[in-house]
């Protein structure tokens, strides 16, 4: 009877041991020079070696290594150095990467459970295949499959990067995304949602992160699908409306309260002026340039607005008519040609 109990105990211990080992990272494939830091000294890593928690591993230029745990893999390219930390309580595996290129195959789960941390950015996933490269203060994430959340903590930015896209950042340059569909990327800046179209304005300080979505909704950065290929509307100005229903219309540049092209094509709004209206329902009409309170071409073609003047009205209802240039209170051709 005692022998039976001992046998059962041995089987249970073996099962526990096997379960424990299954959670360890194992050096499955090694090539060239692969070293591990033990007792403050670098020693050669052997195939089949168990990688203890917190172990630091590096490869020489000719070295390659593949660490395996169940269905998950960590592949090290040449000239790469990492250490692996497993937080059992949080069920999170963290790869601390200080040099080189690492490719991750992370098991798909419902929660984020795998991350790669570099001095510049962190890549956090629920399950995907991606590569992180870090060298000379620059980090890059290339996503092969799934979605990777990239965290640029130095610039308080977070962005999701999809398959086929890449994200790159450095200590001096905030994270940016390239690849298919990157123009639709949404960034979290200072905790606020910022679409790609407004990102530059926010980073330059021309637009508050909290106002980015509202600015787009009012047509101040990018218009609806019917207005594709339009030029940017309000750049560096205040209270300027962009192109509504028209194409290739520029909004207010450096001015205040200037309206862009409404219902027309190729019309420019107020550039460097105040309270100037652009082309309304007309084509190729220029708004007020460098003047105040000047109206552009209304319902006319090829009419220029007030240039350098005050309170001058452009061509109303006429063709090829020029408004008052360098004058005050002058009206141009109304309802006539030439």
């Amino acid at each position: 009877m005692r022998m039976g109990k001992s046998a059962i105990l041995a089987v249970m211990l073996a099962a526990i041991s096997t379960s424990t080992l299954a959670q360890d990272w194992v050096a499955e494939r090694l090539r060239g020079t692969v070293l591990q830091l033990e007792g403050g000294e670098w020693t050669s890593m052997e195939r089949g070696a168990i990688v203890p928690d917190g172990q630091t591993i590096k490869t020489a230029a000719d070295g390659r290594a593949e660490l395996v745990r169940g269905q998950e893999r960590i592949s090290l390219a040449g000239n790469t150095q990492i250490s692996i930390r497993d937080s059992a309580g949080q069920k999170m595996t963290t790869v601390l990467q200080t040099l080189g290129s690492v490719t991750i195959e992370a098991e798909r789960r419902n929660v984020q459970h795998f991350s790669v941390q570099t001095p510049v950015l962190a890549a956090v996933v629920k399950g995907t295949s991606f590569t992180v490269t870090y060298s000379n203060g620059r980090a890059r994430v290339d996503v092969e499959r799934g979605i990777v959340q990239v965290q640029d903590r130095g610039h308080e930015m977070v962005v999701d990067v999809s398959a086929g896209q890449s994200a790159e950042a450095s200590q001096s340059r905030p994270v940016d995304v390239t690849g298919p569909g990157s123009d639709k990327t949404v960034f979290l800046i200072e905790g606020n949602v910022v679409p790609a179209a407004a990102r530059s304005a926010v980073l330059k300080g021309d637009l508050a992160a909290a106002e980015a979505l509202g600015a787009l909704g009012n047509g101040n950065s990018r218009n609806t699908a019917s207005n594709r290929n339009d030029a940017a509307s309000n750049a560096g100005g205040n209270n300027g409306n962009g192109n509504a229903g028209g194409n290739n219309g520029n909004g207010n540049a450096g001015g205040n309260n200037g309206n862009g092209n409404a219902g027309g094509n190729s019309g420019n709004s107020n550039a460097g002026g105040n309270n100037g209206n652009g082309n309304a329902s007309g084509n190729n009409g220029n708004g007020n340039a460098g003047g105040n309170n000047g109206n552009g071409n209304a319902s006319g073609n090829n009419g220029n607005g007030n240039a350098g003047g005050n309170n001058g009205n452009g061509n109303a209802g006429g063709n090829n008519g020029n408004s008052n240039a360098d004058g005050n209170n002058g009206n141009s051709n109304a309802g006539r040609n030439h």
Side-chain angles (χ1 to χ4, degrees):
M1 192 68 177
R2 292 180 179 177
M3 292 294 293
K5 289 183 178 179
S6 298
I8 292 173
L9 182 59
V11 170
M12 292 177 62
L13 290 175
I16 294 173
S17 177
T18 301
S19 175
T20 302
L21 289 176
Q23 301 304 311
D24 290 329
W25 290 96
V26 180
E28 185 173 274
R29 297 178 183 176
L30 303 177
R31 189 178 71 190
T33 304
V34 181
L35 305 173
Q36 59 185 343
L37 189 60
E38 292 183 313
E41 296 183 359
W42 290 104
T43 61
S44 295
M45 175 172 278
E46 302 294 333
R47 181 178 179 180
I50 301 299
V51 181
D53 187 49
Q55 181 90 45
T56 300
I57 303 168
K58 74 175 181 180
T59 58
D62 66 335
R64 302 291 186 275
E66 188 169 287
L67 312 179
V68 179
R69 184 183 64 182
Q71 300 299 313
E72 298 184 318
R73 295 176 181 270
I74 302 174
S75 300
L76 286 71
N79 289 326
T80 297
Q81 180 171 317
I82 68 168
S83 63
I84 305 174
R85 304 282 175 85
D86 283 312
S87 299
Q90 300 177 355
K91 296 182 180 180
M92 171 67 75
T93 296
T94 301
V95 176
L96 302 177
Q97 179 181 354
T98 54
L99 179 66
S101 182
V102 175
T103 299
I104 305 295
E105 286 279 351
E107 183 182 7
R108 186 178 296 276
R109 299 183 189 174
N110 293 326
V111 296
Q112 293 178 336
H113 70 285
F114 208 113
S115 72
V116 178
Q117 309 269 349
T118 74
V120 174
L121 56 75
V124 187
V125 300
K126 294 181 179 180
T128 182
S129 176
F130 65 103
T131 299
V132 180
T133 303
Y134 177 75
S135 179
N136 297 324
R138 299 183 66 178
R140 179 184 175 95
V141 178
D142 296 288
V143 182
E144 180 181 341
R145 186 180 68 252
I147 297 176
V148 176
Q149 184 188 87
V150 174
Q151 304 171 353
D152 181 356
R153 290 167 296 183
H155 299 92
E156 298 185 18
M157 297 179 66
V158 178
V159 62
D160 284 343
V161 185
S162 303
Q165 296 181 338
S166 299
E168 188 168 343
S170 68
Q171 295 176 347
S172 60
R173 298 182 61 182
V175 64
D176 195 13
V177 178
T178 58
S182 57
D183 59 323
K184 298 178 178 63
T185 299
V186 175
F187 296 82
L188 277 178
I189 301 178
E190 298 174 357
N192 296 287
V193 175
V194 177
R199 176 178 175 274
S200 295
V202 172
L203 294 180
K204 290 178 181 178
D206 295 335
L207 179 67
E211 299 174 358
L213 278 179
L216 285 183
N218 292 327
N220 287 334
S221 182
R222 186 177 62 182
N223 295 312
T224 61
S226 63
N227 295 321
R228 290 172 183 170
N229 301 317
D230 294 356
S233 77
N234 194 316
N238 300 316
N239 302 309
N241 297 310
N243 191 312
N247 299 315
N248 303 308
N250 297 310
N252 191 312
N256 300 315
N257 302 307
N259 297 309
N261 190 312
N265 300 314
S266 304
N268 298 309
S269 76
N270 192 311
N274 299 314
N275 302 306
N277 297 309
N279 190 310
S281 301
N283 300 315
N284 302 307
N286 298 309
N288 190 310
N292 300 314
N293 302 306
N295 297 309
N297 191 309
S299 301
N301 299 315
N302 302 307
N304 297 309
N306 191 309
N310 299 314
N311 302 307
N313 298 309
N315 191 311
N319 300 315
N320 303 307
N322 297 310
S323 71
N324 192 312
D326 296 318
N328 299 315
N329 301 305
N331 297 310
S332 70
N333 194 321
R336 293 181 297 174
N337 298 321
H338 307 293

